[in-house]
Amino acid sequence: MVSSKCCNGDEGDGHQEEERRVKANDPEHNEKFQYANNRIKTSKYNILTFLPVNLFEQFQRVANAYFLFLLILQLIPEISSLSWFTTIVPLMMVFTITAVKDATDDCFRHKSDNQVNNRQAEVLIDGRLQNEKWMTVRPGDIIKLENNTFVAADLLLLSSSEPHGLCYIETAELDGETNLKVRQALPVTSELGADIRRLAEFDGVVVCEPPNNKLDKFTGVLFWKDNRYSLNNEKMLLRGCVLRNTGWCFGMVIFAGPDTKLMQNSGRTKFKRTSIDRLMNTLVLWIFGFLVCMGIILAIGNSVWEQQVGTRFRIYLYWNEVVNSSVFSGFLTFWSYIIILNSVVPISLYVSVEVIRLGHSYFINWDRKMYYPKKDTPAEVRTTTLNEELGQIEYIFSDKTGTITQNIMTFNKCSINGKTYGDVYDDLGRKTAINEKTVPVDFSFNPLADRKFQFYDHSLIESIKLGDSVVHEFFRLLSLCHTVMSEEKNAGELIYQVQSPDEGALVTAARNFGFIFKSRTPETITVEEMGKLVTYQLLAILDFNNIRKRMSVIVQTPDGQIKLYCKGADTILFERLHPSNEELMDLTSDHLEKANMFFMKARLESYTSDLCSCSNEFAGEGLRTLALAYKNLTEEHFKEWFKILQEANTSLDSRNEHLAAAYEEIEKDMMLLGATAIEDKLQEGVTETIASLSLANIKIWVLTGDKQETAMNIGYSCHMLTDTMNEIFIVAGHTVMEVREELRKAKEHLFGQSKDLSNGHVFCEKMQESKQGSVLEETVIGDYALVINGHSLVHALEADLENEFVEVACMCKTVICCRATPLQKAQVVELVKKHRKAVTLAIGDGANDISMIKSAHIGIGISGEEGMQAVLASDYSFAQFRYLKRLLLVHGRWSYFRMCKFLCYFFYKNFSFTLVHFWFGFFCGFSAQTVYDQWFITLFNIVYASLPVLAMGLFDQDVNEQNSMDYAKLYEPGQLNLLFNKRKFFICIAHGVYTSFALFFIPYGAFYNTAGEDGKHIADYQSFAVTVATSLVIVVSVQIALDTSYWTAINRFFILGSIAVYFAILFAMHSDGIFVIFPNHFPFVGNARNSLSQISVWLVILLTTVISVMPVITFRFLKEDLNPTLIDQVRKLQKARRKQKPLQNYMCQVSRRSSRRSAYAFSHQEGFGELITSGKNM
């Protein structure tokens, strides 16, 4: 075989690999193919690339390129009316601030990379184990892993400390599952053991598939000693896994660094920009076009004026060199006006935007209500440029394990012999809530009890101590019917190796209640029952699979009695009960339809109905229910059945079908013992958070690596799924045709049901202006959910099916994608971004969520149980899912609201300021002379008008934080992009044009042929300039006072202070003293004192102010009175009740009927039963 070279170096770039060929312990051979080493890189820059790459990213902002162009123009003396330093200084400030911020963000990524790359690994080099950094590990190296350590690269398992080359791994960072998985080395390599000499001599060659992102598949062949051995995923340890319950293992590196399956699923770090940034690029182009139009109009005016009357004024407007051509004069004037009028988009806008974003970031970092004291973890903003986009989220894509759930299983309740255990009642028999003051059951009588286990119903322990035979049989079943492995490290210290966390919770519960699973062999199970050691003969394990949804064991008691114990999904188990339970089954089916109603009534007296009520109570609370049953077997019956089982085990054809038939034969006519309820604990506040976000019209999709039933169970727990939904569509097809058909049926049902419920009319939501090119989202009447499996998602994401998938999914209230790989998660996010043009947010806590986090507009990392990988790749991070509500509904909404008000005011202010030059051009011979003196132009946006608008952008609130969360509908303006869009921009421009018109023509008309109080003429240029400038400062200050919704001491100080500073600087620059020192730079000597001492000038300023702001006041008054928005109404309520308690949350909780769901069958894995009986893991 000949492999094509893979010239990917450390970065994983280069030619496409066709196959990989790796030889163990032979670096020279492997270096020929230039495979990547184990160094990873998630950062964007290095020392050499930072400056060019960062500048390239910054110049993607059209405004930055625009300012650079203006700077070049200002360097040309023939056309420059302003000094070049007025542009280059603020431009350099913008570039520097942005570059420092980007460099800081990337430093965190470098720190994370270095932390991982410098981890130590034991590598076999020159016949001995040496500690090497992870980044130096290369394909072909043999490395040793210790228990509870991360797997450094994608390894072929060679040998382990466990029998038969077995090892146990946790894959939470890959697929979100915390249950242990088994990997087994080839028998031929497991013989190598820990013999360093033999391992150093191992020279096998692995030929396998090239690097790819398929986590559940691996195809390869090992060539060694003239033999070939087939390799699959069960022989591989993937990077990101953790070695558990295994002393040590040796592995051969196949894929390293960027070639590992984890990194192949991670995606690249992307440069993220907000929708406002993208809109600003468009608006800057429009403004530049508007600027060019004004320049052309004034240039044409200059040419005409020069041709007709200009020659008469050359003695007043002296040129060093006379320009005889009026056309060329107009050409030069065009560029002069481009420079003068460029302040319609001042550089200070972008400086202010960055300052506001930074301020909003600190507000999030400092928010004590998003601080998690248990882990001393505050909220952290890792990317400061995206804050306002938090107020525009339409879709949230969430991981499940560790993000929505705590990843902790607890034995919550049980029903035994018709009696419910787990609730707490007061002295009057009323059910009470369990809280920190509730006294738990005292398990001190049991020295082997798990100290972490807590149960609050004391009646259950009393039943056990009283010797209730049914209760004993219940816990005996839990201690025997499982695949748990035990290890007693020290006396009294039992360690359980569990395949699924829920199975571990059941065995731990039995352990605490006195039925302690001690040990097992392939033939026996030893249990300590109420202090007495009992050994059962294990005759058979009837293993779990997804079809059976149950597991059974057949054991023989010490007195020779043979028993079958079974646990599984209640829906499956109830069908296999003895006919004597017929009444029970009938009542159960009836009660399951009316679960909540029955539970609110008094409990039925009969055993059957009590048990049914309990089961439905558990399901109604979102607990994972599990039914338990047993059966007594005669020796003759068992021997006959065992022959059938042996024949099935040895059959060559349809072995699985024969085994299933044998299991069915014995698992019938069982007697019901009771039911258990396990809680996969949700994080605190998850249900309320999801309800609030749903009211805000945010759609939440769960993208998880867990099985379908596990994910659906959590969906019910947090009320994303309810039994009151019209339909839950499950897409589980294995082929393109099957998936297409399932999606088609779902679509037909959606539209058909909608037409039935709405008399044949399907209505469409009106999409916002920014989404005109996207597919219209049709909203159906009723609530629907879509659940799709990973193997179906592969086909649904293909080009010919993606439209149908997105169309159906977006019409559903809830979408759950199960068994999704990291790459599929990212693809789903990209699909919604592409087809819906919606702002997306992804939230997760593991490395398997990194791709999704990077793909979404906003990525949030939960600093949870699975490490910090997601946090390091995120834009924001915090410790609990519930903080997402506050982040979006308070910080996000305020950031969007503030940024939009800031931009609207800023554009209004600068058009008001700049367009006065345009009107003045018609009265100064189009000579490109400015109305204001140069110092006012320089200081206006930096000093006089910067701090008030900055304060508004940082501190303004339309409603307080409590109302922001109580009235979730207030979030919708951001989703619909209502507060700042193209229409709002044109309104601001029109307002600015009107104000500039008033600022120029009212003083012009008032001063026309007018004498002052002293009889002297006041219509001189300098007096006019001071009057217009003073009017401008006062008008924009009054306008920002009108725009401010939330007054603070800072706002008042900045507004009044800006006016005071203006007058202070004005009188200083027009003073005699500064004129004497700098006569060429301050020509307006004495003007302010002369002009502002006259009442007529102040009356002109007052008239200008009133005419400028009266239309705004009138319009706003009429709008709030005649057509108030929800914000206006809430503000009125807020003002009326400011001194009262905050309004209670009016959200209604959705009630739902119960459903039967099994915890055990949902998270267990097939194959452990056979492994135990084979004895390979003993």
Side-chain angles (χ1 to χ4, degrees):
M1 293 186 181
V2 180
S3 150
S4 63
K5 286 191 177 182
C6 178
C7 304
N8 50 2
D10 289 355
E11 305 286 331
D13 301 327
H15 302 298
Q16 185 66 37
E17 219 178 308
E18 294 178 4
E19 67 176 23
R20 174 152 293 203
R21 186 181 183 91
V22 182
K23 188 174 182 180
N25 294 312
D26 194 344
E28 291 78 13
H29 174 273
N30 298 322
E31 282 176 3
K32 293 189 298 183
F33 303 104
Q34 299 182 20
Y35 296 135
N37 64 17
N38 208 36
R39 182 192 296 271
I40 63 165
K41 176 176 175 287
T42 60
S43 55
K44 292 195 295 183
Y45 316 111
N46 58 39
I47 294 176
L48 294 178
T49 63
F50 175 75
L51 191 60
V53 173
N54 189 260
L55 284 176
F56 173 76
E57 288 178 350
Q58 292 203 53
F59 277 114
Q60 286 186 327
R61 265 186 184 164
V62 176
N64 287 340
Y66 163 70
F67 292 135
L68 181 64
F69 174 68
L70 286 175
L71 176 61
I72 295 171
L73 290 181
Q74 284 182 281
L75 295 174
I76 304 173
E78 285 78 11
I79 61 175
S80 178
S81 303
L82 298 171
S83 301
W84 59 270
F85 62 82
T86 59
T87 297
I88 194 169
V89 172
L91 184 62
M92 290 303 295
M93 285 179 59
V94 171
F95 283 161
T96 303
I97 291 171
T98 306
V100 169
K101 178 181 58 62
D102 291 342
T104 304
D105 290 344
D106 208 53
C107 279
F108 284 108
R109 300 188 189 98
H110 275 287
K111 186 177 179 181
S112 166
D113 291 345
N114 291 333
Q115 184 180 358
V116 173
N117 289 329
N118 290 315
R119 286 178 181 171
Q120 296 294 307
E122 289 188 89
V123 184
L124 188 58
I125 301 175
D126 297 331
R128 59 192 180 92
L129 288 172
Q130 298 181 19
N131 282 329
E132 295 287 332
K133 294 179 179 179
W134 271 26
M135 61 184 175
T136 63
V137 172
R138 291 185 175 274
D141 288 348
I142 292 178
I143 64 177
K144 181 184 179 182
L145 299 176
E146 302 283 352
N147 190 32
N148 296 325
T149 58
F150 279 97
V151 179
D154 288 356
L155 310 177
L156 170 65
L157 179 61
L158 297 178
S159 61
S160 78
S161 60
E162 302 302 298
H164 306 280
L166 292 174
C167 76
Y168 301 91
I169 57 171
E170 182 184 284
T171 60
E173 292 199 351
L174 293 177
D175 56 20
E177 293 189 3
T178 54
N179 51 298
L180 298 184
K181 294 181 174 62
V182 178
R183 295 293 183 263
Q184 185 174 14
L186 288 167
V188 68
T189 62
S190 64
E191 296 173 357
L192 298 173
D195 189 331
I196 300 300
R197 182 185 59 80
R198 295 180 64 190
L199 285 165
E201 292 173 354
F202 177 69
D203 60 352
V205 176
V206 173
V207 179
C208 65
E209 62 191 15
N212 60 73
N213 53 40
K214 296 176 182 176
L215 293 170
D216 57 347
K217 291 182 180 179
F218 178 80
T219 305
V221 179
L222 170 64
F223 295 90
W224 189 39
K225 294 182 178 179
D226 299 325
N227 291 313
R228 55 184 294 161
Y229 306 93
S230 178
L231 302 176
N232 56 31
N233 206 47
E234 302 304 310
K235 308 288 188 295
M236 296 294 294
L237 305 179
L238 301 184
R239 181 180 181 132
C241 298
V242 181
L243 192 67
R244 299 289 192 200
N245 302 325
T246 306
W248 51 262
C249 73
F250 285 89
M252 170 184 168
V253 178
I254 306 299
F255 300 120
D259 292 342
T260 57
K261 291 182 183 287
L262 176 66
M263 297 305 295
Q264 289 281 311
N265 276 284
S266 291
R268 290 183 175 272
T269 301
K270 297 181 179 179
F271 176 62
K272 295 183 177 182
R273 291 184 298 160
T274 67
S275 56
I276 286 183
D277 275 338
R278 292 188 291 272
L279 177 61
M280 287 286 291
N281 275 349
T282 303
L283 297 182
V284 167
L285 289 174
W286 289 1
I287 291 172
F288 184 72
F290 180 65
L291 182 61
V292 169
C293 290
M294 289 194 295
I296 290 173
I297 292 170
L298 295 170
I300 292 172
N302 177 267
S303 295
V304 173
W305 190 86
E306 280 290 334
Q307 188 172 6
Q308 295 182 357
V309 296
T311 53
R312 306 172 195 169
F313 285 84
R314 283 180 183 164
I315 190 173
Y316 305 108
L317 299 176
Y318 176 74
W319 286 6
N320 290 330
E321 296 181 11
V322 177
V323 179
N324 294 319
S325 170
S326 60
V327 175
F328 186 62
S329 174
F331 174 76
L332 295 178
T333 302
F334 169 80
W335 294 111
S336 297
Y337 270 114
I338 291 294
I339 294 172
I340 291 173
L341 301 174
N342 82 82
S343 55
V344 285
V345 186
I347 301 175
S348 61
L349 169 65
Y350 288 93
V351 176
S352 301
V353 165
E354 295 299 331
V355 171
I356 289 172
R357 284 173 171 168
L358 191 63
H360 293 169
S361 300
Y362 279 113
F363 293 155
I364 295 172
N365 292 341
W366 294 336
D367 191 342
R368 290 183 175 272
K369 294 181 180 179
M370 293 173 67
Y371 169 74
Y372 191 56
K374 289 183 181 179
K375 291 188 177 180
D376 189 27
T377 307
E380 182 183 4
V381 179
R382 301 176 58 82
T383 305
T384 58
T385 57
L386 305 173
N387 296 323
E388 64 270 16
E389 198 128 270
L390 290 170
Q392 298 181 276
I393 302 299
E394 293 179 67
Y395 287 87
I396 292 176
F397 300 92
S398 175
D399 179 41
K400 182 191 76 66
T401 306
T403 302
I404 293 177
T405 67
Q406 295 183 36
N407 204 15
I408 299 173
M409 302 289 183
T410 57
F411 183 85
N412 194 290
K413 296 181 181 181
C414 64
S415 167
I416 307 172
N417 200 23
K419 184 177 180 181
T420 308
Y421 299 96
D423 289 322
V424 179
Y425 298 88
D426 61 16
D427 295 336
L428 299 176
R430 295 174 300 188
K431 185 177 176 181
T432 60
I434 296 173
N435 53 43
E436 294 179 356
K437 296 181 180 180
T438 307
V439 179
V441 171
D442 182 11
F443 292 107
S444 59
F445 73 93
N446 182 356
L448 289 176
D450 187 337
R451 306 290 181 191
K452 297 178 182 177
F453 180 84
Q454 288 189 320
F455 200 77
Y456 296 92
D457 189 349
H458 295 261
S459 62
L460 181 55
I461 201 72
E462 291 171 4
S463 297
I464 289 177
K465 290 180 178 180
L466 290 172
D468 188 319
S469 60
V470 180
V471 175
H472 281 213
E473 191 73 353
F474 180 90
F475 284 107
R476 185 176 292 116
L477 185 153
L478 292 182
S479 67
L480 292 170
C481 187
H482 55 77
T483 58
V484 174
M485 302 296 296
S486 68
E487 181 182 356
E488 192 166 359
K489 291 189 174 181
N490 301 312
E493 185 183 351
L494 269 179
I495 305 296
Y496 286 154
Q497 300 176 6
V498 296
Q499 183 213 353
S500 61
D502 37 12
E503 189 172 54
L506 293 175
V507 178
T508 300
R511 167 184 174 176
N512 275 59
F513 285 105
F515 288 77
I516 306 163
F517 166 64
K518 296 280 287 186
S519 63
R520 78 187 320 142
T521 71
E523 295 84 23
T524 64
I525 299 177
T526 301
V527 178
E528 184 179 316
E529 299 181 357
M530 302 303 295
K532 180 182 178 182
L533 213 59
V534 181
T535 300
Y536 294 85
Q537 295 298 314
L538 179 59
L539 303 179
I541 294 181
L542 284 58
D543 207 0
F544 161 85
N545 65 36
N546 278 321
I547 298 173
R548 284 166 40 74
K549 294 188 178 180
R550 63 190 185 278
M551 172 197 174
S552 300
V553 295
I554 301 176
V555 298
Q556 187 172 29
T557 64
D559 59 6
Q561 187 177 5
I562 299 176
K563 284 195 169 187
L564 177 144
Y565 290 113
C566 182
K567 65 180 181 182
D570 41 19
T571 52
I572 302 295
L573 215 63
F574 287 163
E575 298 172 358
R576 290 162 175 78
L577 297 178
H578 190 272
S580 62
N581 288 311
E582 184 176 352
E583 183 182 356
L584 170 63
M585 290 186 290
D586 292 340
L587 284 172
T588 301
S589 299
D590 183 49
H591 294 160
L592 288 174
E593 293 296 325
K594 306 173 183 177
N596 290 333
M597 292 175 60
F598 274 118
F599 193 68
M600 295 303 293
K601 295 178 181 178
R603 293 164 62 208
L604 299 179
E605 292 182 359
S606 69
Y607 155 78
T608 311
S609 61
D610 275 346
L611 179 60
C612 297
S613 294
C614 297
S615 177
N616 284 285
E617 176 195 350
F618 303 157
E621 295 176 6
L623 303 175
R624 298 181 172 192
T625 60
L626 182 68
L628 310 182
Y630 74 99
K631 180 180 179 180
N632 292 319
L633 301 174
T634 63
E635 190 171 351
E636 293 75 16
H637 184 193
F638 173 73
K639 286 180 178 179
E640 290 177 8
W641 175 81
F642 196 69
K643 290 179 181 177
I644 298 173
L645 180 66
Q646 287 180 320
E647 291 175 2
N649 270 320
T650 55
S651 62
L652 298 177
D653 298 324
S654 305
R655 178 174 177 266
N656 290 336
E657 288 76 5
H658 287 115
L659 281 174
Y663 294 164
E664 287 284 344
E665 178 65 28
I666 197 75
E667 290 175 330
K668 61 184 180 181
D669 296 335
M670 294 182 289
M671 301 301 294
L672 197 59
L673 272 176
T676 64
I678 292 178
E679 182 183 3
D680 185 1
K681 279 193 172 182
L682 294 174
Q683 288 191 14
E684 184 183 345
V686 164
T687 303
E688 295 79 6
T689 298
I690 289 174
S692 295
L693 295 178
S694 297
L695 282 176
N697 201 32
I698 298 173
K699 293 190 175 181
I700 302 176
W701 293 21
V702 175
L703 311 180
T704 177
D706 277 354
K707 296 180 178 66
Q708 173 188 315
E709 294 87 350
T710 309
M712 289 182 67
N713 228 18
I714 295 300
Y716 279 105
S717 298
C718 59
H719 295 172
M720 291 177 66
L721 298 177
T722 67
D723 289 325
T724 57
M725 282 183 159
N726 299 70
E727 190 73 33
I728 296 176
F729 305 114
I730 297 179
V731 178
H734 287 80
T735 66
V736 175
M737 294 305 296
E738 289 175 356
V739 174
R740 189 190 303 277
E741 182 64 18
E742 288 171 340
L743 289 173
R744 185 188 62 79
K745 288 180 179 178
K747 188 175 178 181
E748 287 179 357
H749 189 94
L750 282 164
F751 286 113
Q753 191 74 9
S754 177
K755 290 175 182 176
D756 291 341
L757 291 171
S758 58
N759 299 320
H761 296 288
V762 180
F763 64 90
C764 295
E765 288 183 355
K766 185 178 180 181
M767 303 302 287
Q768 60 265 40
E769 183 181 352
S770 63
K771 298 185 180 179
Q772 290 178 347
S774 65
V775 182
L776 291 180
E777 181 175 343
E778 294 172 314
T779 306
V780 297
I781 305 293
D783 290 338
Y784 296 88
L786 176 69
V787 179
I788 184 168
N789 277 292
H791 53 77
S792 305
L793 195 59
V794 172
H795 303 300
L797 293 173
E798 291 178 359
D800 56 341
L801 267 184
E802 62 179 28
N803 283 327
E804 294 179 49
F805 169 61
V806 171
E807 189 175 3
V808 171
C810 290
M811 286 189 288
C812 294
K813 180 180 179 181
T814 298
V815 178
I816 298 177
C817 299
C818 316
R819 284 297 190 190
T821 66
L823 185 63
Q824 285 177 331
K825 292 182 180 184
Q827 288 173 332
V828 170
V829 175
E830 292 288 355
L831 203 61
V832 173
K833 287 170 62 179
K834 173 184 173 184
H835 289 276
R836 291 293 157 184
K837 310 297 182 190
V839 181
T840 59
L841 179 149
I843 179 170
D845 72 321
N848 57 319
D849 303 314
I850 291 176
S851 284
M852 173 175 74
I853 285 170
K854 289 181 177 179
S855 295
H857 293 95
I858 303 287
I860 295 180
I862 299 285
S863 49
E865 302 296 330
E866 297 183 15
M868 297 291 287
Q869 286 82 0
V871 170
L872 294 171
S874 66
D875 303 307
Y876 301 84
S877 68
F878 42 71
Q880 294 282 289
F881 182 86
R882 68 177 184 269
Y883 298 149
L884 184 61
K885 174 182 176 181
R886 184 170 178 83
L887 182 69
L888 298 187
L889 299 189
V890 178
H891 290 288
R893 204 183 72 80
W894 278 353
S895 292
Y896 174 73
F897 166 77
R898 291 163 176 167
M899 186 61 73
C900 292
K901 286 192 74 171
F902 165 80
L903 291 173
C904 287
Y905 175 80
F906 214 99
F907 282 120
Y908 151 77
K909 170 177 68 75
N910 283 286
F911 269 79
S912 301
F913 165 64
T914 306
L915 262 63
V916 172
H917 294 300
F918 178 77
W919 308 123
F920 184 58
F922 291 91
F923 296 90
C924 69
F926 306 96
S927 59
Q929 184 175 357
T930 59
V931 176
Y932 321 107
D933 77 278
Q934 187 164 318
W935 286 104
F936 180 83
I937 294 173
T938 303
L939 296 175
F940 177 72
N941 278 308
I942 297 175
V943 178
Y944 303 149
S946 60
L947 292 181
V949 68
L950 209 57
M952 183 176 71
L954 285 171
F955 304 112
D956 204 26
Q957 303 173 13
D958 51 352
V959 298
N960 61 33
E961 62 182 69
Q962 187 60 48
N963 283 329
S964 292
M965 292 193 288
D966 286 346
Y967 296 91
K969 285 289 182 183
L970 293 174
Y971 190 80
E972 288 189 5
Q975 297 169 321
L976 299 175
N977 209 20
L978 296 179
L979 300 187
F980 186 73
N981 49 40
K982 294 170 185 175
R983 177 176 171 273
K984 281 280 186 182
F985 170 73
F986 284 120
I987 291 174
C988 296
I989 298 307
H991 187 195
V993 171
Y994 166 78
T995 303
S996 70
F997 192 87
L999 285 169
F1000 179 79
F1001 284 101
I1002 291 174
Y1004 181 83
F1007 285 178
Y1008 189 74
N1009 289 331
T1010 302
E1013 296 172 10
D1014 55 1
K1016 296 181 180 179
H1017 200 277
I1018 62 170
D1020 62 280
Y1021 162 72
Q1022 292 188 348
S1023 299
F1024 178 75
V1026 169
T1027 304
V1028 173
T1030 305
S1031 300
L1032 173 66
V1033 171
I1034 293 175
V1035 166
V1036 296
S1037 297
V1038 172
Q1039 183 63 50
I1040 200 167
L1042 293 174
D1043 287 345
T1044 300
S1045 306
Y1046 179 72
W1047 284 94
T1048 65
I1050 296 175
N1051 294 82
R1052 295 185 177 94
F1053 176 76
F1054 280 172
I1055 292 175
L1056 297 176
S1058 294
I1059 296 174
V1061 166
Y1062 164 72
F1063 282 111
I1065 293 177
L1066 178 70
F1067 281 102
M1069 290 194 302
H1070 290 195
S1071 65
D1072 298 338
I1074 200 167
F1075 174 75
V1076 172
I1077 301 171
F1078 304 105
N1080 295 327
H1081 294 90
F1082 297 96
F1084 281 40
V1085 57
N1087 185 266
R1089 184 173 62 253
N1090 177 63
S1091 299
L1092 298 180
S1093 62
Q1094 302 188 46
I1095 296 177
S1096 58
V1097 172
W1098 284 106
L1099 290 174
V1100 169
I1101 293 172
L1102 176 63
L1103 179 64
T1104 304
T1105 303
V1106 170
I1107 291 178
S1108 296
V1109 300
M1110 275 307 295
V1112 177
I1113 296 174
T1114 305
F1115 173 78
R1116 291 183 183 177
F1117 174 78
L1118 293 174
K1119 182 176 178 295
E1120 289 187 19
D1121 191 55
L1122 301 177
N1123 187 28
T1125 63
L1126 178 60
I1127 293 176
D1128 297 329
Q1129 296 172 28
V1130 174
R1131 281 176 59 81
K1132 287 181 180 178
L1133 285 172
Q1134 182 175 300
K1135 289 177 181 178
R1137 304 184 184 185
R1138 184 166 292 171
K1139 296 183 180 180
Q1140 299 177 9
K1141 293 182 179 180
L1143 295 175
Q1144 294 297 317
N1145 196 326
Y1146 63 93
M1147 297 185 299
C1148 59
Q1149 296 295 324
V1150 181
S1151 62
R1152 63 178 178 87
R1153 301 190 303 271
S1154 62
S1155 62
R1156 290 169 285 177
R1157 295 182 290 282
S1158 165
Y1160 170 75
F1162 291 161
S1163 61
H1164 208 288
Q1165 187 178 17
E1166 185 176 4
F1168 260 53
E1170 184 178 349
L1171 186 63
I1172 289 170
T1173 54
S1174 71
K1176 289 182 178 181
N1177 62 334
M1178 302 300 174

